Amino acid sequence: MLIYILRRFGIALCVAVTVSIVSFSLLHMSGDLATAIAGPEASATQVEAIRVQFGLDRPMMSQYFDWLGKAVQLDFGKSFYFQGPVMEMVAERLPVTMKLGGIALLLAVAVAIPLGVLAAIYRDTWLDRVALLIAVVGQAMPSFWFGLSLILIFSVTLHWLPVAGNEGWENFVLPAIALGYYAMPAMMRLTRAGMLEVLGSDYIRTARAKGLSKGKVIFKHALRNAVIPVVALAAVELGFMLGGSVVIESVYSMQGLGQLAWDAISRNDYPVVQAVVLIIAMFYIGLTFLADVINALLDPRIRTR
């Protein structure tokens, strides 16, 4: 098991380095950064002064390692547009995104696991087909379109929930549903597949032969083993949700990390874009590694290696 965890940690570290290189490269993908900072009306002397001020005249590798050293200390510099420390802006917006992702994950798990269990128990019935239809629609439907549909129904037509903002709990209901519905199909299908595999195993047949009730067989013996990979997948899906919050927060005008990224992209505020991309990617990499550790601890096939 230790070798498996160390191998997965090595992979996570390689991915993190690759993401840092991509994040750093964002500053240089749109042309001359010094010209972009100085503005179109700046003289050549002003552009050159800015290039020296920001260290853009140094070799690229020197710039990268200098930026990486500061990024490890959570120092991403100053925003070009907002004119404030980037990390302070990120720290102010991050709780909103984390709260939205946590609520969305809870909703997805609360729907996916029971639906997957029912689909497995009543395999090839109308209930199974409805569950698979919900999964297919959720996987195929764009999250922004689903979010706008929820606004049209529950905010504009029924006036039950607010359209935008993040002041109270009611502001998180529709965004969490829109974000969670995208993650729910994968967990539902995995629960269904795991339940079908477990229900056909020998120890379940033995439990039934002993006269145990159907509920005890399903919930005490079958579900406990079938849900193990779902727990690991939930950690990975949370990382996806943090990345997907860029779209959902823009639709619902929530002042989270996703909305900050959208504002920074539209204004060419590269330090903010760098920070958001790197932080969300690190969350995703960390959650993926956590999922691997959970698998190693819970899966007997990995634990005995």
Short mmCIF file of all heavy atoms in Angstrom, two decimals, residues 107-137:
data_model
loop_
_atom_site.label_atom_id
_atom_site.label_comp_id
_atom_site.label_asym_id
_atom_site.label_seq_id
_atom_site.Cartn_x
_atom_site.Cartn_y
_atom_site.Cartn_z
N LEU A 107 -25.57 17.60 -2.09
CA LEU A 107 -26.79 17.36 -2.86
C LEU A 107 -26.58 16.22 -3.86
O LEU A 107 -27.45 15.36 -4.02
CB LEU A 107 -27.21 18.63 -3.59
CG LEU A 107 -27.77 19.77 -2.74
CD1 LEU A 107 -28.03 21.01 -3.60
CD2 LEU A 107 -29.05 19.33 -2.04
N ALA A 108 -25.42 16.22 -4.53
CA ALA A 108 -25.16 15.18 -5.52
C ALA A 108 -25.09 13.80 -4.89
O ALA A 108 -25.66 12.84 -5.40
CB ALA A 108 -23.84 15.50 -6.25
N VAL A 109 -24.40 13.71 -3.73
CA VAL A 109 -24.29 12.43 -3.04
C VAL A 109 -25.65 11.97 -2.52
O VAL A 109 -26.01 10.79 -2.62
CB VAL A 109 -23.28 12.53 -1.88
CG1 VAL A 109 -23.33 11.30 -1.00
CG2 VAL A 109 -21.87 12.74 -2.42
N ALA A 110 -26.44 12.91 -1.98
CA ALA A 110 -27.74 12.57 -1.41
C ALA A 110 -28.71 12.03 -2.47
O ALA A 110 -29.61 11.24 -2.14
CB ALA A 110 -28.35 13.80 -0.73
N VAL A 111 -28.53 12.44 -3.70
CA VAL A 111 -29.40 11.96 -4.78
C VAL A 111 -28.79 10.75 -5.48
O VAL A 111 -29.48 9.77 -5.78
CB VAL A 111 -29.67 13.09 -5.80
CG1 VAL A 111 -30.45 12.56 -7.00
CG2 VAL A 111 -30.43 14.22 -5.15
N ALA A 112 -27.48 10.78 -5.73
CA ALA A 112 -26.83 9.76 -6.56
C ALA A 112 -26.83 8.39 -5.90
O ALA A 112 -27.14 7.38 -6.55
CB ALA A 112 -25.40 10.19 -6.88
N ILE A 113 -26.49 8.32 -4.62
CA ILE A 113 -26.37 7.01 -3.97
C ILE A 113 -27.72 6.31 -3.85
O ILE A 113 -27.84 5.13 -4.26
CB ILE A 113 -25.67 7.15 -2.61
CG1 ILE A 113 -24.20 7.55 -2.82
CG2 ILE A 113 -25.75 5.84 -1.82
CD1 ILE A 113 -23.41 7.72 -1.54
N PRO A 114 -28.77 6.95 -3.32
CA PRO A 114 -30.07 6.25 -3.29
C PRO A 114 -30.58 5.88 -4.67
O PRO A 114 -31.14 4.78 -4.86
CB PRO A 114 -31.01 7.28 -2.62
CG PRO A 114 -30.10 8.16 -1.84
CD PRO A 114 -28.85 8.25 -2.64
N LEU A 115 -30.38 6.76 -5.65
CA LEU A 115 -30.85 6.48 -7.01
C LEU A 115 -30.07 5.30 -7.61
O LEU A 115 -30.65 4.44 -8.29
CB LEU A 115 -30.69 7.72 -7.88
CG LEU A 115 -31.52 7.79 -9.17
CD1 LEU A 115 -33.00 7.68 -8.85
CD2 LEU A 115 -31.23 9.08 -9.90
N GLY A 116 -28.76 5.26 -7.36
CA GLY A 116 -27.96 4.15 -7.86
C GLY A 116 -28.32 2.83 -7.21
O GLY A 116 -28.35 1.78 -7.86
N VAL A 117 -28.62 2.86 -5.90
CA VAL A 117 -29.04 1.64 -5.20
C VAL A 117 -30.37 1.13 -5.75
O VAL A 117 -30.53 -0.08 -6.02
CB VAL A 117 -29.15 1.91 -3.68
CG1 VAL A 117 -29.79 0.73 -2.96
CG2 VAL A 117 -27.77 2.20 -3.09
N LEU A 118 -31.33 2.02 -5.92
CA LEU A 118 -32.64 1.61 -6.46
C LEU A 118 -32.51 1.08 -7.88
O LEU A 118 -33.17 0.10 -8.25
CB LEU A 118 -33.60 2.81 -6.43
CG LEU A 118 -34.06 3.27 -5.05
CD1 LEU A 118 -34.87 4.55 -5.16
CD2 LEU A 118 -34.86 2.18 -4.36
N ALA A 119 -31.65 1.72 -8.69
CA ALA A 119 -31.46 1.26 -10.07
C ALA A 119 -30.87 -0.14 -10.11
O ALA A 119 -31.19 -0.95 -11.00
CB ALA A 119 -30.57 2.24 -10.83
N ALA A 120 -29.98 -0.45 -9.15
CA ALA A 120 -29.37 -1.79 -9.10
C ALA A 120 -30.36 -2.83 -8.59
O ALA A 120 -30.41 -3.95 -9.11
CB ALA A 120 -28.12 -1.76 -8.23
N ILE A 121 -31.14 -2.47 -7.57
CA ILE A 121 -32.10 -3.42 -7.01
C ILE A 121 -33.18 -3.77 -8.03
O ILE A 121 -33.56 -4.94 -8.18
CB ILE A 121 -32.71 -2.85 -5.72
CG1 ILE A 121 -31.65 -2.69 -4.64
CG2 ILE A 121 -33.85 -3.74 -5.22
CD1 ILE A 121 -32.14 -1.97 -3.40
N TYR A 122 -33.66 -2.73 -8.71
CA TYR A 122 -34.73 -2.94 -9.70
C TYR A 122 -34.15 -2.85 -11.11
O TYR A 122 -34.61 -2.09 -11.95
CB TYR A 122 -35.83 -1.91 -9.50
CG TYR A 122 -36.46 -1.98 -8.14
CD1 TYR A 122 -36.10 -1.08 -7.12
CD2 TYR A 122 -37.41 -2.95 -7.84
CE1 TYR A 122 -36.67 -1.15 -5.86
CE2 TYR A 122 -37.99 -3.03 -6.58
CZ TYR A 122 -37.61 -2.13 -5.60
OH TYR A 122 -38.18 -2.21 -4.36
N ARG A 123 -33.14 -3.66 -11.34
CA ARG A 123 -32.44 -3.64 -12.62
C ARG A 123 -33.38 -4.01 -13.77
O ARG A 123 -34.24 -4.89 -13.65
CB ARG A 123 -31.28 -4.65 -12.57
CG ARG A 123 -30.43 -4.69 -13.83
CD ARG A 123 -29.35 -5.73 -13.68
NE ARG A 123 -28.47 -5.76 -14.83
CZ ARG A 123 -27.45 -6.60 -14.97
NH1 ARG A 123 -27.19 -7.49 -14.02
NH2 ARG A 123 -26.69 -6.56 -16.05
N ASP A 124 -33.21 -3.28 -14.90
CA ASP A 124 -33.97 -3.49 -16.14
C ASP A 124 -35.47 -3.22 -15.97
O ASP A 124 -36.28 -3.71 -16.76
CB ASP A 124 -33.78 -4.93 -16.65
CG ASP A 124 -32.34 -5.20 -17.07
OD1 ASP A 124 -31.66 -4.24 -17.50
OD2 ASP A 124 -31.89 -6.34 -16.95
N THR A 125 -35.83 -2.44 -14.96
CA THR A 125 -37.22 -2.02 -14.81
C THR A 125 -37.32 -0.55 -15.22
O THR A 125 -36.33 0.10 -15.57
CB THR A 125 -37.69 -2.18 -13.36
OG1 THR A 125 -36.91 -1.30 -12.52
CG2 THR A 125 -37.50 -3.62 -12.89
N TRP A 126 -38.52 -0.01 -15.16
CA TRP A 126 -38.72 1.39 -15.54
C TRP A 126 -37.93 2.33 -14.62
O TRP A 126 -37.46 3.38 -15.05
CB TRP A 126 -40.20 1.74 -15.49
CG TRP A 126 -40.80 1.72 -14.11
CD1 TRP A 126 -41.40 0.67 -13.48
CD2 TRP A 126 -40.83 2.82 -13.18
NE1 TRP A 126 -41.81 1.03 -12.21
CE2 TRP A 126 -41.47 2.35 -12.01
CE3 TRP A 126 -40.38 4.13 -13.23
CZ2 TRP A 126 -41.67 3.15 -10.90
CZ3 TRP A 126 -40.60 4.95 -12.12
CH2 TRP A 126 -41.23 4.45 -10.97
N LEU A 127 -37.77 1.94 -13.34
CA LEU A 127 -37.01 2.76 -12.40
C LEU A 127 -35.54 2.84 -12.81
O LEU A 127 -34.91 3.90 -12.75
CB LEU A 127 -37.15 2.19 -11.00
CG LEU A 127 -36.52 3.00 -9.86
CD1 LEU A 127 -37.10 4.41 -9.81
CD2 LEU A 127 -36.73 2.30 -8.53
N ASP A 128 -35.00 1.71 -13.24
CA ASP A 128 -33.61 1.68 -13.71
C ASP A 128 -33.44 2.55 -14.95
O ASP A 128 -32.46 3.30 -15.06
CB ASP A 128 -33.22 0.23 -14.01
CG ASP A 128 -31.74 0.09 -14.37
OD1 ASP A 128 -30.96 0.99 -14.01
OD2 ASP A 128 -31.38 -0.91 -15.00
N ARG A 129 -34.39 2.48 -15.86
CA ARG A 129 -34.30 3.29 -17.09
C ARG A 129 -34.43 4.78 -16.79
O ARG A 129 -33.74 5.61 -17.41
CB ARG A 129 -35.37 2.83 -18.07
CG ARG A 129 -35.16 1.40 -18.59
CD ARG A 129 -36.17 1.04 -19.65
NE ARG A 129 -35.96 -0.32 -20.13
CZ ARG A 129 -36.55 -1.40 -19.63
NH1 ARG A 129 -37.41 -1.25 -18.63
NH2 ARG A 129 -36.31 -2.59 -20.11
N VAL A 130 -35.30 5.12 -15.86
CA VAL A 130 -35.44 6.54 -15.48
C VAL A 130 -34.14 7.05 -14.85
O VAL A 130 -33.69 8.16 -15.15
CB VAL A 130 -36.63 6.72 -14.51
CG1 VAL A 130 -36.61 8.12 -13.90
CG2 VAL A 130 -37.95 6.48 -15.23
N ALA A 131 -33.54 6.24 -13.99
CA ALA A 131 -32.28 6.65 -13.36
C ALA A 131 -31.18 6.85 -14.39
O ALA A 131 -30.42 7.83 -14.33
CB ALA A 131 -31.86 5.60 -12.33
N LEU A 132 -31.09 5.94 -15.34
CA LEU A 132 -30.07 6.07 -16.39
C LEU A 132 -30.36 7.27 -17.29
O LEU A 132 -29.45 7.96 -17.75
CB LEU A 132 -30.02 4.79 -17.22
CG LEU A 132 -29.46 3.56 -16.49
CD1 LEU A 132 -29.54 2.33 -17.38
CD2 LEU A 132 -28.03 3.79 -16.03
N LEU A 133 -31.65 7.56 -17.54
CA LEU A 133 -32.01 8.74 -18.33
C LEU A 133 -31.59 10.03 -17.61
O LEU A 133 -31.04 10.94 -18.24
CB LEU A 133 -33.52 8.75 -18.59
CG LEU A 133 -34.07 9.96 -19.35
CD1 LEU A 133 -33.46 10.03 -20.75
CD2 LEU A 133 -35.58 9.91 -19.43
N ILE A 134 -31.84 10.08 -16.31
CA ILE A 134 -31.42 11.25 -15.53
C ILE A 134 -29.91 11.43 -15.60
O ILE A 134 -29.40 12.55 -15.73
CB ILE A 134 -31.89 11.10 -14.07
CG1 ILE A 134 -33.41 11.16 -13.99
CG2 ILE A 134 -31.28 12.19 -13.19
CD1 ILE A 134 -33.97 10.87 -12.61
N ALA A 135 -29.19 10.32 -15.53
CA ALA A 135 -27.73 10.38 -15.59
C ALA A 135 -27.25 10.88 -16.95
O ALA A 135 -26.35 11.72 -17.04
CB ALA A 135 -27.14 9.01 -15.29
N VAL A 136 -27.84 10.37 -18.02
CA VAL A 136 -27.43 10.77 -19.37
C VAL A 136 -27.72 12.25 -19.60
O VAL A 136 -26.88 13.00 -20.12
CB VAL A 136 -28.14 9.90 -20.43
CG1 VAL A 136 -27.91 10.47 -21.82
CG2 VAL A 136 -27.64 8.47 -20.35
N VAL A 137 -28.91 12.69 -19.18
CA VAL A 137 -29.27 14.09 -19.37
C VAL A 137 -28.35 15.00 -18.55
O VAL A 137 -27.88 16.04 -19.04
CB VAL A 137 -30.74 14.32 -18.95
CG1 VAL A 137 -31.08 15.82 -18.95
CG2 VAL A 137 -31.68 13.59 -19.91
#
